[in-house]
Amino acid sequence: MRSVLTLLTAVMLGACSTQLSTVSSLETAKRDAYNVIVLDQENGMSLTLPANPWQESTVIDVTQQVKAKWNDPQAQSGQGHATFIARIAIDPGHVKIAVIDDLGRRALDIDWTENALDITTADWVSGMVDGRRLLADMVMTYWPLGVVQVALAPGLSIAEARGERVIRKQGNDMVFMRITRPEQDPWQGIAIVHNTSLDYELGINSKRMMP
């Protein structure tokens, strides 16, 4: 009788273990899929967020004034534009970004850890701001070169020289994004992000906060 109970217990524990393993694998797959950000669907370009949001030991605390420009056929000038302020706080393994508009209204919050990526968008900006795209642009502009190289999908390459980063599509050598930023400290000063594929530009003036 004892041997039968032992066998049943082992079978039940094995089944539970298999179920937990399956659930864990599904959750991991779901998280990994969510971490893939499509940069240009037409050309099959994407970026996979690193598992650890910030591997550096340094702490980043900056405020950014951002000016965005893009093509808008409905605008009288043919170009849309917006300005906003971004407050960025980065600790090892944790990134927080808050976006505030000209009127002081909170438009977007990004909270990114090793376990989750939470993006909260105000109702009044729904459909106007893509938090995932914004985060991808931040990573490509400010994260260490090696991290970006790994994050970019196969078929995309990045090169850096004298304060300029250029991301290209391999094969036809098409420039996807051109980024200029301060050489000494990218988090202090003006960076220009020009997405040549989707034809939009971000002018970002960063200022480190004093401790």
Side-chain angles (χ1 to χ4, degrees):
M1 181 66 177
R2 182 176 297 175
S3 61
V4 174
L5 289 174
T6 302
L7 178 60
L8 287 173
T9 301
V11 170
M12 290 173 65
L13 289 175
C16 290
S17 176
T18 300
Q19 290 176 347
L20 289 173
S21 176
T22 301
V23 170
S24 177
S25 298
L26 289 173
E27 289 178 347
T28 300
K30 183 178 179 181
R31 182 190 64 206
D32 291 346
Y34 189 71
N35 284 346
V36 176
I37 299 176
V38 176
L39 303 175
D40 183 349
Q41 190 169 8
E42 183 177 342
N43 292 292
M45 300 179 184
S46 64
L47 175 142
T48 300
L49 295 174
N52 184 344
W54 187 252
Q55 301 177 29
E56 307 296 301
S57 59
T58 54
V59 173
I60 306 296
D61 189 9
V62 302
T63 295
Q64 296 181 330
Q65 291 182 321
V66 183
K67 295 181 179 180
K69 297 188 298 183
W70 64 92
N71 278 338
D72 184 357
Q74 297 181 350
Q76 187 174 4
S77 63
Q79 193 172 68
H81 58 87
T83 59
F84 57 88
I85 295 173
R87 183 78 168 82
I88 301 169
I90 302 177
D91 295 287
H94 194 190
V95 175
K96 295 186 72 173
I97 302 172
V99 176
I100 301 168
D101 77 346
D102 286 342
L103 300 177
R105 298 177 298 178
R106 207 175 188 95
L108 180 73
D109 283 285
I110 298 174
D111 193 338
W112 177 25
T113 67
E114 293 184 65
N115 298 319
L117 171 60
D118 295 321
I119 300 177
T120 305
T121 306
D123 292 339
W124 57 271
V125 293
S126 182
M128 298 170 56
V129 179
D130 185 343
R132 290 164 59 78
R133 167 56 65 83
L134 177 64
L135 180 58
D137 284 347
M138 289 288 299
V139 169
M140 289 185 286
T141 302
Y142 294 104
W143 265 235
L145 183 64
V147 174
V148 180
Q149 286 174 327
V150 173
L152 291 173
L156 286 175
S157 65
I158 181 171
E160 180 177 284
R162 297 185 297 277
E164 182 180 66
R165 288 182 170 184
V166 179
I167 298 174
R168 300 178 184 271
K169 185 175 182 181
Q170 297 173 345
N172 60 9
D173 211 31
M174 181 187 80
V175 174
F176 170 71
M177 182 176 285
R178 193 179 298 274
I179 301 164
T180 58
R181 59 185 208 152
E183 286 191 63
Q184 298 299 320
D185 181 1
W187 295 101
Q188 182 72 35
I190 296 175
I192 303 295
V193 179
H194 184 198
N195 188 313
T196 57
S197 179
L198 301 181
D199 202 14
Y200 68 83
E201 183 177 286
L202 303 176
I204 308 171
N205 190 355
S206 300
K207 183 178 180 180
R208 285 185 180 269
M209 304 299 292
M210 298 300 293

